[in-house]
Amino acid sequence: MAENSVLTSTTGRTSLADSSIFDSKVTEISKENLLIESTSYVEEEMPQIETRVILVQEAGKQEELIKALKDIKVGFVKMESVEEFEGLDSPEFENVFVVMDFQDSVFNDLYKADCRVIGPPIVLNCSQKGEPLPFSCRPLYCTSMMNLVLCFTGFRKKEELVRLVTLVHHMGGVIRKDFNSKVTHLVANCTQGEKFRVAVSLGTPIMKPEWIYKAWERRNEQDFCAAVDDFRNEFKVPPFQDCILSFLGFSDEEKTNMEEMTEMQGGKYLPLGDERCTHLVVEENIVKDLPFEPSKKLYVVKQEWFWGSIQMDARAGETMYLYEKANTPELKKSVSMLSLNTPNSNRKRRRLKETLAQLSRETDVSPFPPRKRPSAEHSLSIGSLLDISNTPESSINYGDTPKSCTKSSKNSTPVPSKQSARWQVAKELYQTESNYVNILATIIQLFQVPLEEEGQCGGRILAPEEIKTIFGSIPDIFDVHTKIKDDLEDLIVNWDESKSIGDIFLKYSKDLVKTYPPFVNFFEMSKETIIKCEKQKPRFHAFLKINQAKPECGRQSLVELLIRPVQRLPSVALLLNDLKKHTADENPDKSTLEKAIGSLKEVMMHINEDKRKTEAQKQIFDVVYEVDGCPANLLSSHRSLIQRVETISLGEHPCDRGEQVTLFLFNDCLEIARKRHKVIGTFRSPHGQTRPPASLKHIHLMPLSQIKKVLDIRETEDCHNAFALLVRPPTEQANVLLSFQMTSDELPKENWLKMLCRHVANTICKADAENLIYTADPESFEVNTKDMDSTLSRASRAIKKTSKKVTRAFSFSKTPKRALRRALMTSHGSHGSVEGRSPSSNDKHIMSRLSSTSSLAGIPSPSLVSLPSFFERRSHTLSRSTTHLI
């Protein structure tokens, strides 16, 4: 192999691939220098040698380099050819040559002469950081691989390996011939060999040779580092590189999914039985025997190898996952061979033995007979979703399992010979509680703990924020129910009919109120996060496949396990009700059970109320994110979103006629927003999650108390589905009319207006909400919906918007439209009052300027004369109508 060979450089000199020899020489030289410097008794001082930079050929023409050298206060000279070097050589200077191209003949001549050569990025980097020029025994072009330690495997062509090693040295990297813990990256040309297996076990990134070549192409980029995740991940060796897979025993859907995953992870797949296949992935729970005799070169592996490789982001060792026939003992192993870190079968076997021993101890001392299926009366109840028969009863001992999971049952009192009905229900309550605690332990130890572990092979599977969203307060719920289970166990083992079960749940009622709402309220978000991450992150999908197939999960998915806390409290309430029925009236526990049931109902009511508030707050946050410029004071604990209505503006208020307007009705205010004409880029949260861009623009947040009347516009041929609001803003002296047309048929106009009036009445403390609605003719308020959706109307609105933009662009003083109209009307009146006088040339010039401005605004100058009469007529009509309304 080329790994152990001596490398020959292009200049004819030989050097070992392991650069530790050079490092040791540098260390020895530095030690000698320290020893010389420490001898203070030496009479003669050694002469000081000054560093001088020699800019070779094109480097001397770079103004940026010259400025950088002046910044770090290093002297420099320019050199056009190697022949000039003899005249520049002096014992007073340590010459450092800056060469633009490390491939030309000048560089080779300097390298042969043992000159110190660096690249322009080194000088620029030192100038940027204010550091002196670094010393290197090799030519150093840039620092893209500084502090990186590389090792190579699988290269058979010596020339290619020499080329890669040289480039790494030019970028500041270090090479090690043998793989050890100090190696930061393994550059592999194949997915086999001892170095590859050790790198996988240590979680060392395994890179393609293209990584080095691409990094060299970016050698002139300042602050570029080849180890940055975004760049490095493009060139990582995929798990199934050089692998050709076929599948046996899977459904068509599963097989299609696995084939797609194979291609995504750098592999190929072929039909079953193809001789070119390197791996046969078998569903070991279905396939009992192979349909053909596999060749010696074919790896026949279980599906856990497939998903494990994806999860670790590297090809797992096949020997740990070889498929065995059904009659072999290997198939009977129930413990997983896969770990997120180094696979360790001995540790797993030891844990399995401890678990089995613990289970045997619990079985020996447990006073309970085998569990029976819950009675049919619970199967139709609200708590029946907790199907106890489908969950494993064995205790979990996976990693650092809490003591409550492995605590053995006590046996201080023998089981009563004649078991009462109350004892039977109490026993079922304990069994379901113990089973529930085991489920929570499975969630924590099998899913949450491995995902939170540091140093996962291939990096973190999920971000910490995603883990928190998925599991929420599960550990807190687990702690509370572990205590409840322990108390129930003490009570059942030391059974007495007078002992109180209700006191146990009353004791922990406050803890239940604290722990359950945060999880139950955000369960849907947890579920959505799991589904989204499983689709977007193949490693998480593989992680779920591996762990959900383990016996601890009882063939249930993570989502199915996480729904158990949502179902648990109703199930406990039903069992306590059943227990109360079988408790004698004279038993003091009867009243205590009633209190316990009441406390559980209060907890569930608190959860429901908290969930309602949470959902209401989430809806408000969605509005804030959707509406650009939405006021911050919209967020309030007492506020809730009632209805959203899509409309079109029919007047000049609150925006131009024909604009799409969205109304958000809250219990005390009305948010008015229009559709954005230009959508900005996506919003990215600090956690990296992206939100869609805001599609609406805020116009006005109106308190419902400002709405004086709600006008139901009658349906006519020119007016459909229209309504109006008569509003009195605090800054206006007169009423303002806002008219809209509803564009959606999902909510009838009558229902919407009644809903709006009811909340307006609640806000102004009036009982007669119906008196706020007034039916009006569209002609009375000049409201019509004719041609709102026509092409001509849309084109007219577009032209109007464009003309406004042009007007603003040509307006230097930004004169408001009202002020301009007032000035024009005043000017017209003053000119009309002069007896028979014609305008002067200066007046004509002013009028022409005003006329041109008005024409830009899309308003012909002759019509300006009729503006006062129009506003008078419109104002008179509106005032007459509002007077009649009020």
Side-chain angles (χ1 to χ4, degrees), residues 29-242:
I29 294 172
S30 61
K31 287 181 179 178
E32 292 175 2
N33 292 336
L34 289 173
L35 182 61
I36 292 172
E37 292 175 0
S38 65
T39 57
S40 59
Y41 56 84
V42 177
E43 296 179 359
E44 296 183 0
E45 294 184 0
M46 295 185 65
Q48 296 293 327
I49 300 178
E50 183 180 350
T51 300
R52 181 177 64 179
V53 172
I54 300 177
L55 301 175
V56 181
Q57 294 179 345
E58 293 297 325
K61 302 176 183 178
Q62 303 294 320
E63 295 296 332
E64 190 178 10
L65 278 178
I66 296 174
K67 182 179 181 300
L69 290 172
K70 291 179 180 179
D71 292 341
I72 59 178
K73 299 178 181 180
V74 176
F76 64 92
V77 295
K78 299 179 182 180
M79 187 181 79
E80 290 297 330
S81 63
V82 180
E83 287 75 16
E84 298 179 19
F85 174 62
E86 296 179 0
L88 297 173
D89 193 15
S90 172
E92 298 179 0
F93 295 100
E94 168 68 22
N95 294 317
V96 181
F97 295 85
V98 179
V99 181
M100 295 290 293
D101 188 4
F102 274 28
Q103 308 295 327
D104 61 8
S105 58
V106 177
F107 169 79
N108 291 332
D109 294 338
L110 294 173
Y111 184 62
K112 289 177 182 178
D114 281 335
C115 296
R116 186 177 165 192
V117 184
I118 61 175
I122 297 293
V123 179
L124 298 176
N125 191 46
C126 291
S127 173
Q128 182 181 358
K129 297 181 179 179
E131 299 176 351
L133 296 176
F135 176 81
S136 176
C137 58
R138 303 187 191 87
L140 183 64
Y141 189 88
C142 64
T143 57
S144 301
M145 289 192 173
M146 190 65 72
N147 301 323
L148 300 187
V149 182
L150 275 63
C151 185
F152 291 84
T153 184
F155 291 87
R156 298 185 178 276
K157 293 182 180 180
K158 187 176 180 179
E159 295 77 10
E160 182 182 8
L161 185 59
V162 170
R163 172 66 176 159
L164 291 171
V165 169
T166 303
L167 293 180
V168 172
H169 286 159
H170 289 347
M171 291 185 285
V174 177
I175 306 297
R176 290 286 183 266
K177 184 175 68 173
D178 299 322
F179 191 93
N180 54 42
S181 59
K182 295 182 179 179
V183 173
T184 60
H185 297 79
L186 176 68
V187 182
N189 205 27
C190 68
T191 56
Q192 294 178 347
E194 182 181 353
K195 291 182 180 179
F196 187 89
R197 294 266 63 87
V198 175
V200 171
S201 64
L202 294 178
T204 304
I206 304 173
M207 312 302 300
K208 299 177 182 178
E210 289 80 4
W211 175 56
I212 298 175
Y213 291 127
K214 290 294 182 181
W216 179 249
E217 290 178 4
R218 300 178 63 176
R219 61 188 178 274
N220 291 315
E221 296 183 18
Q222 286 292 319
D223 301 324
F224 169 70
C225 179
V228 174
D229 289 342
D230 291 341
F231 175 76
R232 183 183 65 183
N233 291 340
E234 296 180 21
F235 305 100
K236 290 184 70 173
V237 174
F240 300 137
Q241 179 174 301
D242 304 329

Side-chain angles (χ1 to χ4, degrees), residues 342-507:
T342 306
N344 191 332
S345 58
N346 292 330
R347 185 175 70 235
K348 294 293 185 177
R349 291 193 187 97
R350 185 170 64 253
R351 287 179 180 171
L352 178 61
K353 290 180 181 178
E354 292 174 358
T355 302
L356 294 176
Q358 181 63 42
L359 290 175
S360 64
R361 288 196 298 271
E362 290 186 1
T363 304
D364 293 339
V365 300
S366 177
F368 309 127
R371 280 185 52 250
K372 298 180 180 180
R373 186 174 179 83
S375 59
E377 63 179 327
H378 296 308
S379 61
L380 299 177
S381 63
I382 190 173
S384 63
L385 293 175
L386 182 61
D387 187 0
I388 308 161
S389 62
N390 290 336
T391 56
E393 296 180 24
S394 59
S395 176
I396 307 293
N397 188 10
Y398 188 89
D400 298 331
T401 306
K403 294 180 180 179
S404 57
C405 297
T406 58
K407 183 179 178 181
S408 60
S409 301
K410 302 175 183 178
N411 190 20
S412 58
T413 304
V415 180
S417 56
K418 188 177 181 181
Q419 300 171 356
S420 64
R422 175 177 160 83
W423 189 89
Q424 290 281 3
V425 179
K427 179 197 70 174
E428 184 178 0
L429 177 62
Y430 166 74
Q431 285 179 333
T432 57
E433 188 67 21
S434 178
N435 184 64
Y436 177 57
V437 169
N438 289 339
I439 292 172
L440 296 177
T442 298
I443 295 172
I444 295 172
Q445 297 301 326
L446 209 59
F447 295 94
Q448 185 176 3
V449 171
L451 288 173
E452 292 177 341
E453 275 185 351
E454 297 291 339
Q456 298 176 18
C457 186
R460 280 191 171 274
I461 296 178
L462 294 180
E465 296 80 15
E466 292 170 330
I467 298 173
K468 181 64 178 175
T469 302
I470 290 173
F471 298 100
S473 60
I474 284 288
D476 299 328
I477 296 175
F478 173 78
D479 292 338
V480 175
H481 280 274
T482 298
K483 297 174 183 177
I484 295 176
K485 175 214 166 192
D486 291 343
D487 290 355
L488 286 175
E489 185 176 353
D490 290 338
L491 185 144
I492 295 297
V493 173
N494 303 291
W495 176 255
D496 187 271
E497 290 288 337
S498 61
K499 288 198 173 184
S500 175
I501 296 177
D503 283 337
I504 296 175
F505 289 93
L506 287 174
K507 177 181 176 182

Side-chain angles (χ1 to χ4, degrees), residues 230 358 463 547 580 614 707:
D230 291 341
Q358 181 63 42
N547 289 284
K580 188 182 74 170
T614 303
I707 300 177

